[in-house]
Amino acid sequence: MADNTLQSSKKNLVADWDRLAKVFIRPEDDASRATLIKYMERILFGLHDFLKTHVGITEAKSLGELSKNYMRTDINEDPEKKLADVIACLIREIAPHAVNVASPYFVGHMTSAIPFFMVHLKTIVAALNQNPVKLETSKVVSIIEKQVIAKIHRIVYDFGEEFYLAHVQNTETTLGVFTEGGTTANLTALWVARNARLFPKNGFTGIEREGIPAAYRAHGIDRCVILASRLVHYSLRKAAGILGIGNDNVIPIDIDSACRMDMEAFENTIEKIKSESPETCILAAVGIAGATETGTVDPLDQMADICRRHKIHFHVDAAWGGPTLLSKKYKHLLAGIEKSDSVTIDGHKQFYMPMSCGMVYFRDPHILNVIAYYANYVNRRGSVDLGIKALSGSREANSLILDCALKIMGSHGYALLIDHGIETAAGFAEEIRRRPDFEIITDPVLNILTYRYCPKKTRDALARAGKEKKCRISRQLNRANRDLQRLQREAGYSFVSRTTLQNSPGCEEDTVVLRAVIMNPMTDMKVLREILDEQENIAKQVWTSVEE
Ligand SMILES: Cc1ncc(COP(=O)(O)O)c(C=O)c1O
């Protein structure tokens, strides 16, 4: 909270053992219990009431102005505020300047409203404070985590009852891992793929122990690469950097006109590497199920077949699109995901969990042995210590939240959310098409679409223009769309994000686009029309003179 408020409310507070004991011991009398319940009420209802009446996205105060209030870097020796004051301040002073991601008018990112019960579940998880890294600090929670992992594994791979009975509580095998988010889930998948591919042989004890130069020598290679569409999330490049593969070695494969990885380009790249660089090892190929920028889905089925033929680890980044598998109506959009070797799914995206929760699943229940780490004080062999085959050490028991959410919602409840997002995005695309001032750039496959402000007259001019003029107009359009998005964000009533899509090779100007992510069940066509109306009004200010 702002430094000046801290100063003004500071009154005779001291840190001593009496007070500390009160913080740690459960309230023993009715009065203190009532006080704590009152605080919880303020968080649950005070914050939500506030956000409900405060319909916008955020207060129109600039970050520069805000940061002036947060310059103090010393920590007070004595306490500065009581819990009640801290909560009041968070609700009244911080929340208005944070981002109301729960607003139906916030359709710009993969962060949105969460069901109300998630706040209760998060509170229980904090109150229990279990640490699934080891059985000794989680007990039944570790077992529940294995069960939830098996449930999600089943919606991806559907291996049948016998398989899941054999593995759900098996301490020797692992079907998946909880991670902090999609980034660490992708990193885990590539870590496993790397270690599995550069396996121990002829006295070489494995890449995890001996490192990259020894692994490359033992396997007679001089380079590893990962193949992914150029729309792949940057976390895959990050993972390649961390794993010593080098992010230049994430080879971008061209996409087709529907933003899906081009299968001919994919196979040609594999063939070329194999014939021209026999010392290059293709460590993995990544298919996207819900690209971050466009929401598009790669041809997973074909990719899987190609990968099998060439013995390449096939990872699917379904951080966004994974829960689509719960929708009977739309799960076909991810057909082929069941042939993958590993799959990333985020809990804090379309499972509507609070920040943050990632997961990664593996076809082979034994493959995670290649990243196993043991420690005598924790993570013992043959135990349910979930830290053995995981990137994280200590972490919160997110699996409890997902387990409860699945029970509260049922797969059908989640399917309703997924269906709403996909169908509303399709309706939004129709509305954009109806308006002469806008142009769809990428149609929605799931619930993400991109479009731009581009008046009909300008579109016609672009179609007629030669190369140079086309570039000039495109630059003007890019500037206008950038300004339009910024002005709408700054006004604080609604939020649509912006990205730049790379044009196909040979075309010089990349395209600045507006990006809408429709995941909030309260976002309906009325809201979306208002957002477009606002954009049309803003555009009148930013679109002054363009040659047409
Ligand atoms: C497709 C995809 N993969 C991975 C990630 C990274 O996930 P996280 O932000 O949870 O680390 C994202 C995030 O937007 C994503 O869209």
Side-chain angles (χ1 to χ4, degrees):
M1 52 225 61
D3 298 344
N4 48 4
T5 35
L6 288 178
Q7 298 290 8
S8 62
S9 67
K10 191 179 147 193
K11 44 181 185 278
N12 299 334
L13 295 174
V14 285
D16 59 24
W17 276 108
D18 275 355
R19 278 161 213 269
L20 265 188
K22 278 192 189 146
V23 176
F24 275 90
I25 296 167
R26 212 160 5 115
E28 64 288 351
D29 58 56
D30 288 349
S32 38
R33 274 168 194 254
T35 310
L36 283 187
I37 289 169
K38 192 175 70 195
Y39 294 161
M40 280 313 282
E41 264 181 23
R42 271 188 211 166
I43 296 170
L44 274 173
F45 301 111
L47 184 59
H48 279 258
D49 285 349
F50 173 83
L51 289 174
K52 231 161 112 190
T53 46
H54 183 88
V55 262
I57 300 296
T58 189
E59 288 282 342
K61 199 168 184 180
S62 76
L63 272 185
E65 268 179 277
L66 282 172
S67 59
K68 287 189 196 126
N69 294 332
Y70 299 88
M71 299 303 288
R72 264 185 64 188
T73 51
D74 60 316
I75 299 171
N76 243 48
E77 277 196 1
D78 290 322
E80 299 180 57
K81 288 199 163 205
K82 289 182 167 182
L83 176 59
D85 299 330
V86 169
I87 292 171
C89 187
L90 278 165
I91 294 175
R92 275 193 240 113
E93 291 178 31
I94 307 297
H97 300 291
V99 177
N100 185 4
V101 295
S103 164
Y105 292 81
F106 185 88
V107 293
H109 284 303
M110 296 168 158
T111 306
S112 173
I114 51 175
F116 204 66
F117 65 72
M118 290 293 184
V119 182
H120 295 84
L121 298 178
K122 190 87 180 171
T123 310
I124 295 172
V125 167
L128 280 172
N129 198 28
Q130 302 295 287
N131 182 356
V133 67
K134 52 184 179 283
L135 187 64
E136 289 166 356
T137 49
S138 58
K139 202 176 172 185
V140 73
V141 174
S142 294
I143 293 170
I144 294 171
E145 181 159 321
K146 279 187 80 74
Q147 185 191 19
V148 183
I149 286 172
K151 286 182 186 178
I152 306 295
H153 190 280
R154 196 167 181 160
I155 63 164
V156 176
Y157 292 105
D158 196 16
F159 282 159
E161 184 69 9
E162 215 175 298
F163 174 90
Y164 291 103
L165 278 177
H167 293 287
V168 60
Q169 296 303 341
N170 190 328
T171 55
E172 302 295 328
T173 59
T174 314
L175 301 178
V177 198
F178 273 76
T179 62
E180 282 76 12
T183 298
T184 37
N186 282 335
L187 172 58
T188 305
L190 290 189
W191 183 23
V192 169
R194 185 197 71 167
N195 289 11
R197 175 63 184 77
L198 301 177
F199 51 85
K201 66 186 268 200
N202 306 335
F204 164 65
T205 55
I207 187 168
E208 196 68 19
R209 288 181 67 179
E210 293 193 35
I212 286 169
Y216 284 14
R217 264 196 313 276
H219 283 267
I221 56 171
D222 59 12
R223 178 190 183 212
C224 282
V225 295
I226 293 159
L227 308 181
S229 126
R230 57 185 167 87
L231 286 175
V232 80
H233 189 262
Y234 72 95
S235 56
L236 272 312
R237 296 181 57 247
K238 208 187 261 186
I242 293 168
L243 293 171
I245 294 160
N247 61 36
D248 272 357
N249 290 319
V250 178
I251 311 279
I253 308 290
D254 272 345
I255 48 179
D256 61 20
S257 58
C259 292
R260 295 149 52 93
M261 188 196 273
D262 181 322
M263 286 300 96
E264 208 181 308
F266 181 47
E267 260 209 290
N268 287 346
T269 308
I270 296 173
E271 300 292 357
K272 191 161 184 268
I273 291 171
K274 286 196 156 177
S275 60
E276 291 176 16
S277 325
E279 286 169 358
T280 292
C281 162
I282 305 174
L283 212 54
V286 181
I288 319 171
T292 315
E293 290 171 294
T294 57
T296 41
V297 181
D298 282 333
L300 304 179
D301 199 57
Q302 280 171 273
M303 280 189 84
D305 291 345
I306 294 170
C307 285
R308 273 198 194 162
R309 212 170 331 117
H310 292 279
K311 297 193 171 56
I312 297 169
H313 182 108
F314 178 41
H315 175 64
V316 176
D317 183 356
W320 178 251
T324 309
L325 293 167
L326 292 168
S327 161
K328 289 195 177 110
K329 225 166 154 185
Y330 295 109
K331 70 178 189 184
H332 67 274
L333 294 173
L334 269 56
I337 194 170
E338 73 286 353
K339 294 185 185 170
S340 66
D341 295 298
S342 53
V343 173
T344 286
I345 301 180
D346 263 351
H348 59 236
K349 292 190 166 80
Q350 296 207 79
F351 275 115
Y352 292 81
M353 287 170 66
M355 290 290 150
S356 69
C357 173
M359 295 167 276
V360 56
Y361 293 90
F362 294 88
R363 153 180 293 276
D364 173 0
H366 296 279
I367 198 170
L368 274 146
N369 290 338
V370 299
I371 60 158
Y373 272 80
Y374 301 96
N376 287 336
Y377 83 105
V378 61
N379 293 348
R380 302 195 182 100
R381 279 171 206 277
S383 72
V384 194
D385 293 336
L386 298 177
I388 296 173
K389 299 171 196 174
L391 182 62
S392 317
S394 298
R395 59 184 167 83
E396 81 178 319
N398 259 329
S399 52
L400 275 187
I401 300 183
L402 182 56
D403 184 48
C404 296
L406 289 170
K407 285 173 180 152
I408 295 170
M409 301 279 287
S411 62
H412 187 57
Y414 274 113
L416 288 174
L417 291 174
I418 296 289
D419 295 355
H420 170 270
I422 292 177
E423 286 158 17
T424 310
F428 190 35
E430 281 307 302
E431 179 66 27
I432 290 168
R433 277 205 179 84
R434 265 196 290 274
R435 300 199 183 207
D437 282 353
F438 292 98
E439 179 187 25
I440 283 277
I441 302 295
T442 57
D443 262 310
V445 176
L446 300 177
N447 47 359
I448 300 176
L449 68 149
T450 65
Y451 63 104
R452 66 173 173 176
Y453 178 77
C454 180
K456 171 90 175 51
K457 251 170 84 180
T458 313
R459 241 174 296 155
D460 294 343
L462 263 177
R464 286 191 309 267
K467 195 171 169 190
E468 223 170 89
K469 188 169 176 189
K470 206 175 231 160
C471 278
R472 252 192 335 266
I473 300 178
S474 299
R475 271 196 295 273
Q476 278 169 312
L477 279 168
N478 283 352
R479 211 173 310 121
N481 278 282
R482 234 177 258 129
D483 289 347
L484 164 57
Q485 191 270 345
R486 180 178 49 78
L487 290 170
Q488 189 171 34
R489 170 170 56 81
E490 285 175 0
Y493 303 113
S494 46
F495 176 75
V496 171
S497 63
R498 164 171 68 75
T499 190
T500 304
L501 295 180
Q502 206 184 325
N503 275 336
S504 28
C507 188
E508 283 160 28
E509 275 307 307
D510 290 340
T511 309
V512 172
V513 295
L514 305 168
R515 166 177 171 265
V517 181
I518 318 289
M519 71 179 293
N520 187 330
M522 301 300 148
T523 300
D524 56 15
M525 286 311 299
K526 178 179 166 291
V527 167
L528 293 169
R529 279 187 206 107
E530 283 176 43
I531 291 176
L532 286 178
D533 291 346
E534 191 193 6
Q535 288 180 339
E536 276 174 357
N537 284 331
I538 298 173
K540 284 183 193 135
Q541 302 161 38
V542 297
W543 192 248
T544 43
S545 64
V546 68
E547 51 178 319
E548 281 160 358

